Amino acid sequence: MDLLAAIGWPVLDRLRLGPLAISPHGIGIAAGYLAGSWWMLREGRKRGMAEDHIGSILVWALLGAIVGARVFYVIGHFSEFDGFVDMLAVWRGGISLIGGIVGAMAVAYPVMRRHGYRFLQVMDSAALGLAFGIALGRVGDLIIGDHIGKPTSFFLGFRYSGGNLAGYTCLGDGVGQQCTTTLADGSQQMIFYGDVVHQTALYDLFIAGFLFLFLFWLNRRPRREGVLIMAFAIWYGAGRVITDLLRVDKTWFGLTGSQWTAIGAIVLSLYTLWRYARKPGPGPGVTAAAANEEPTTAFTPPPEPKG
């Protein structure tokens, strides 16, 4: 393959500021979560949620995302850990985006209910932020060379141009550099300087970016409650099923854990939309104030009695 047909850059696993070494991956995750939170604040106000309640939900969702992301990764790569302490060492890398989303929803759900909000009301408020946050967060993955996949001749393939790849042991320098990792089945994958492989984080950035634009368009008019988050689940879930086929990862019955989870979300969302189609109705949807970009409070007091 003509190397000019691919794209590539030297990966950067750490940003070094004197004695400090900061991971671009962590910066990308933090930036994505903050940006997604801003979108949820914006959309939540339209749907009758109070800002302090949204803030509380986001804090608990963050805790759930951290735990869920690590737990899902550990379950999927259980045989690769030496013990419980090793499983807790999240700073060494190893998290699952799908697991983070599931964990965030699970931990934040009791907070939603305590404040009197409906699950789909909150999740519709989060849909745009999820898509935007994922797209922004993937920039950190690209910088450190994470989520690289199988060899390819695709024009958007990633040409390894040096640096320490995430999850690999890299030796040498320049054109002689090579990186090795041990796969779940015990075999080894080697990548040499100049090799071209799928960069699934780049594909995921495109998937989430175009999803954000679609949801932004869909959100221009009031929709039945749940439509936004189900559109997110179907679009992003289908994208993950496809991109995970290009990864080198552990599988169960031919699919990764993220693929099975995504398929479950797709089926549930399609079934719910089918039920909506059979029983059409306006649903709770977005409040009238949403169309005018006017925030509302979480609770509206009853009118004063007459007479």
Side-chain angles (χ1 to χ4, degrees):
M1 173 184 174
D2 182 0
L3 294 183
L4 295 179
I7 57 177
W9 56 88
V11 299
L12 180 65
D13 62 328
R14 291 289 186 274
L15 296 173
R16 304 192 182 278
L17 304 172
L20 297 178
I22 304 173
S23 170
H25 184 240
I27 295 175
I29 293 173
Y33 194 85
L34 289 174
S37 297
W38 181 88
W39 276 103
M40 184 172 177
L41 282 166
R42 179 181 184 272
E43 295 301 314
R45 290 196 300 266
K46 294 180 182 181
R47 291 168 172 80
M49 298 175 65
E51 285 194 21
D52 57 333
H53 294 165
I54 299 172
S56 177
I57 291 170
L58 285 169
V59 169
W60 285 101
L62 176 60
L63 295 176
I66 294 171
V67 174
R70 185 59 173 179
V71 167
F72 268 57
Y73 182 86
V74 169
I75 292 174
H77 302 80
F78 189 79
S79 60
E80 301 174 17
F81 293 93
D82 295 329
F84 183 71
V85 175
D86 192 26
M87 296 177 187
L88 296 177
V90 66
W91 56 88
R92 297 177 186 170
I95 55 176
S96 164
L97 173 61
I98 299 293
I101 295 174
V102 173
M105 292 190 298
V107 173
Y109 181 74
V111 185
M112 304 176 198
R113 300 305 300 155
R114 186 168 67 245
H115 291 311
Y117 300 125
R118 299 175 299 278
F119 177 73
L120 292 179
Q121 176 188 13
V122 176
M123 295 311 299
D124 272 357
S125 303
L128 276 161
L130 279 169
F132 190 88
I134 290 171
L136 183 58
R138 286 305 186 194
V139 174
D141 293 329
L142 296 178
I143 294 174
I144 69 170
D146 203 4
H147 303 305
I148 59 175
K150 302 173 183 178
T152 183
S153 58
F154 185 43
F155 77 98
L156 285 179
F158 169 70
R159 183 179 69 251
Y160 174 55
S161 303
N164 294 319
L165 285 174
Y168 286 74
T169 300
C170 298
L171 301 173
D173 191 19
V175 294
Q177 194 162 13
Q178 65 182 52
C179 300
T180 306
T181 189
T182 301
L183 305 179
D185 60 4
S187 62
Q188 289 191 326
Q189 181 188 23
M190 298 186 69
I191 296 179
F192 296 89
Y193 186 97
D195 283 353
V196 179
V197 295
H198 284 294
Q199 174 45 281
T200 60
L202 179 63
Y203 308 156
D204 208 54
L205 185 153
F206 290 147
I207 291 169
F210 284 114
L211 172 56
F212 170 78
L213 295 177
F214 173 71
L215 293 176
F216 189 85
W217 170 82
L218 198 65
N219 194 45
R220 293 176 64 190
R221 295 175 55 191
R223 305 285 176 179
R224 185 162 182 168
E225 195 167 86
V227 167
L228 279 182
I229 191 59
M230 284 183 279
F232 170 88
I234 294 168
W235 182 310
Y236 187 70
R240 280 304 298 265
V241 171
I242 295 170
T243 57
D244 271 27
L245 293 174
L246 307 176
R247 293 190 183 192
V248 181
D249 206 348
K250 189 174 183 179
T251 61
W252 291 267
F253 304 103
L255 298 176
T256 66
S258 293
Q259 286 175 311
W260 284 116
T261 306
I263 289 171
I266 292 170
V267 171
L268 179 60
S269 298
L270 288 173
Y271 172 74
T272 305
L273 290 176
W274 174 72
R275 290 290 300 271
Y276 279 4
R278 291 191 64 193
K279 298 181 180 180
V286 181
T287 63
N292 299 319
E293 299 288 334
E294 296 177 0
T296 64
T297 57
F299 302 101
T300 303
E304 294 292 332
K306 297 180 179 180

